[in-house]
Structure formats: C-alpha cells, structure tokens
Amino acid sequence: MMPPPPRPRARPPRREPGPAEVSAAPGRQGVLAAVGATPLVRLDRLFPGDPTRFYAKLEALNPGGSNKDRAALGMVLGAIESGQLIPGKSTVIESSSGNLGVGLAQVCRLYDLRFICVVDPKTTAQNLAILTAYGAELNTVTEADNELGDFLSARIDRVRELVREVPNAFWLNQYANTLNAVAQERVMGEIAEQLDGEIDYLFVATGTCGTIHGCARFIAENGLSTRVIAVDAEGSAIFGEVTCHRLIPGHGAAIRSALHYDGIADSVVRMTDQDCVVGCRRLVGAEAILSGGSSGAVVSAVSQLRAGFADDASCVMLLPDRGERYLDTIYSDAWVEEKFGDIRHLWKEQVAC
C-alpha cells in the first residue's frame, strides 16, 4: 500500500492560549515534574535493510506509563487555574478504558482531588489494580451500547449522572476538552527539537484525537513538512463507521471526538486486533521494547506503508504506552491462540525479513 500524494496542510481550529500551558511550565509538583521529555530512540533492527530512518518516541516512560500523563496533567492543572477544581474539595469524574484514568489518578492523588473513574468490562485487570492503588474510585458500566460490545456512550452517560449526583464534581471531558490537545502539542515540539525539525512521517494512534490534534497544530503553526498518518482501529467510528467488535483497548473509539476535524491527518490506516498483536510481538522481538496495543498498531501500520517512503526519509512512531498491562492478552500465547489461532509465524517471519 502506497501513501497518498501530499496535499495542502489542513489548518487546525484556532485557539486562544489557555491555562493548560502550565503543563509545560516549571513548578509542577513531585513526580509530575517527570511528565514529558521522553526519549526518542533510533530503531535499527525493526525493519532490517530498510533505508528509511525509523524512530520511536517512548511515551511509556512518562511516570504513569503513557502519553495520557500529558493530557491528564494539562487538563487538571488548567481546571485548577481556572477555579473549576479546588484541591481538597473537588471531585474529578472521567470515563477511561485505562491510560488516561491512570494518569488522572496520579495527578489527583498528588493534588488532593477525589477521583471517580468510570470503566467497563474491557478495562484490563492490571489497569483496574493500578487505579485502585492510586486511590481512584471505580464505577463500572456493565451494559454495552450495541451488539458490537461498545461501552463508550454508556460510560459518558454514567459520567453525566455522577456529575449531577456528586457534590463539587467536575467532568474534564477528554473527548472535547481543548486542553487535552494543547498538552499534546509539547510531544511534537520535543520530536522536532530532537530531530532538528527533519520529520517526514509521523504515525499517531487515535482515540480522543487529543494527541493527533496537538501534533498537527504544532506542525502547522511551525511550518513543518511532516506528513501525519492516523492509525485508527478497524471498526472504529473516528475515520469510518463502527463495523466490528474490538478486543484491544487503547485506540479507536465508538464515537468521533469533538477534537477531530476534517483534514486532521494526511492519511489514515485502520488496524485490526491481530495487527496490534503482531506489531507488539515484532517490536519486542526486534527492539526489546515491550509496548501496548496501540503501539503495536502503529508498528503494523508503518510496516504496511514503508515501501512507499523515500530512501532518505525519517519516520517517527509515537508509541503511547507500555506492555505490562497486556501480559494477560497480547503477550499471552494462550490468549492469542484462542482469539486468532496460531499466528506466531507472522511476527517471526517479519523479524527475520
């Protein structure tokens, strides 16, 4: 599959500088000072013999384990600055399948905010345990929205109920909160600095569209020629229609976020659950990077499109999270065989190619 030809860069919606700029400022408390400034590493073994220069932005090395730490910090500090949240008094309520919930639990613990996280049966046991360890309160939605097993609309409905019922409650609303995207501009800024602005391709997994929105804004506002490839899940509503049941959380969504806009990406590729597994297994086998499901989708997307890259191109893969939370699924041979059959040859052949 060849990448489509370049086209004029879509301009993100304009915004006024907001309080989320504090997420890039000094003075963040304790462990939150470690959010951001993640390493960018060269991947020489993933695609042996390929003349393209491949890099991975290791967002798993944020203290909460994912790029969602940036959004959690930006949204909470922005709400504190605006007076919408008061440490010691307010309750944060949010819907999350995992990573943002963990990031919020960490921030809320440090800023003395009660946190209620609305989850569903797809949330991994590891993420539930981490949320509980941080002191988050779990509120579980058990009935899916449709026959495909989607829970997102039901989770959002539950959030709205809780906001009405819980005193001093505030919904950050990651799906429409522009501070989510503003906080993610910094990751593209770091990549541009680390590579002196020489980035031909950026592969980004999409969910709320906060990360891809922030990266696209930085690219447009700084005149970079980087082409953005959105990596969506097969069956997701972000760049298509909900068409199938999805097993692996982390990217894709049953609804299109308000942070999405037409032209947010130069091209889109949709990955299956099996693609996620193969990409994760290939990455750990070749580069010893234990990553989460959306990172596997990014790796598989690059594998599909790399034949169309120029020989001297540079390609950055934004790897959102770590793989320990997928040990019972993606990295379990028994689980993989139960869901997909014996597919070990797919990643073993790729590593050897």
Side-chain angles (χ1 to χ4, degrees):
M1 182 186 301
M2 299 287 286
R7 58 176 176 74
R9 167 71 57 193
R11 297 289 297 183
R14 292 182 59 84
R15 68 165 175 86
E16 296 298 323
E21 256 68 35
V22 298
S23 68
R28 292 177 287 172
Q29 293 183 14
V31 69
L32 300 180
V35 174
T38 54
L40 183 77
V41 299
R42 177 80 178 261
L43 303 182
D44 293 318
R45 294 166 56 86
L46 185 59
F47 303 115
D50 194 306
T52 299
R53 290 166 284 127
F54 296 101
Y55 300 90
K57 183 68 166 167
L58 301 182
E59 289 294 280
L61 296 183
N62 281 301
S66 82
N67 67 328
K68 295 292 188 179
D69 286 9
R70 298 177 187 263
L73 181 60
M75 290 190 294
V76 170
L77 291 190
I80 290 174
E81 270 211 353
S82 67
Q84 295 168 301
L85 287 175
I86 301 173
K89 294 184 178 180
S90 298
T91 297
V92 172
I93 300 177
E94 185 57 278
S95 157
S96 174
S97 62
N99 286 331
L100 182 74
V102 171
L104 286 174
Q106 179 178 241
V107 176
C108 289
R109 171 54 57 201
L110 207 57
Y111 282 92
D112 193 22
L113 295 161
R114 181 187 177 195
F115 175 44
I116 301 175
C117 189
V118 178
V119 298
D120 63 54
K122 291 184 180 179
T123 308
T124 66
Q126 292 90 341
N127 277 330
L128 294 174
I130 294 169
L131 288 165
T132 301
Y134 275 120
E137 300 172 37
L138 305 179
N139 192 291
T140 305
V141 170
T142 57
E143 294 189 12
D145 302 321
N146 54 42
E147 66 278 4
L148 298 176
D150 295 314
F151 289 90
L152 182 53
S153 294
R155 291 205 320 255
I156 292 174
D157 288 343
R158 179 67 58 82
V159 167
R160 291 193 174 105
E161 292 175 7
L162 291 171
V163 169
R164 292 192 296 267
E165 297 169 359
V166 177
N168 302 313
F170 180 71
W171 179 26
L172 292 167
N173 193 2
Q174 60 170 315
Y175 312 102
N177 192 333
T178 56
L179 302 188
N180 178 358
V182 171
Q184 297 291 356
E185 291 180 36
R186 189 178 174 210
V187 70
M188 191 63 211
E190 292 170 12
I191 294 170
E193 182 177 359
Q194 289 161 326
L195 292 179
D196 295 325
E198 299 296 323
I199 312 109
D200 294 301
Y201 300 97
L202 177 73
F203 283 72
V204 185
T206 59
T208 66
C209 290
T211 302
I212 195 169
H213 187 127
C215 289
R217 177 183 300 282
F218 184 94
I219 289 167
E221 293 186 348
N222 289 273
L224 301 182
S225 59
T226 307
R227 296 188 64 246
V228 178
I229 294 86
V231 181
D232 195 12
E234 190 67 52
S236 165
I238 301 173
F239 293 98
E241 296 183 1
V242 178
T243 58
C244 63
H245 175 71
R246 292 180 289 122
L247 296 172
I248 298 174
H251 70 298
I255 62 174
R256 177 178 288 178
S257 163
L259 296 177
H260 175 279
Y261 62 88
D262 290 341
I264 197 171
D266 292 287
S267 57
V268 178
V269 59
R270 287 156 66 93
M271 296 285 101
T272 66
D273 289 322
Q274 180 173 299
D275 292 326
C276 295
V277 172
V278 172
C280 284
R281 294 296 192 103
R282 181 175 191 185
L283 185 62
V284 72
E287 300 284 355
I289 297 173
L290 192 71
S291 65
S294 52
S295 298
V298 166
V299 169
S300 288
V302 172
S303 180
Q304 286 189 15
L305 298 181
R306 65 189 176 98
F309 298 167
D311 287 352
D312 61 347
S314 62
C315 173
V316 174
M317 293 170 253
L318 193 59
L319 303 185
D321 65 352
R322 60 183 57 162
E324 290 90 339
R325 298 166 194 176
Y326 300 84
L327 294 178
D328 293 337
T329 54
I330 290 171
Y331 296 101
S332 165
D333 290 343
W335 184 88
V336 171
E337 185 166 356
E338 175 190 347
K339 302 299 182 183
F340 308 105
D342 185 358
I343 59 171
R344 287 173 293 181
H345 63 284
L346 295 178
W347 61 79
K348 289 183 178 180
E349 286 176 1
Q350 287 183 315
V351 170
C353 68

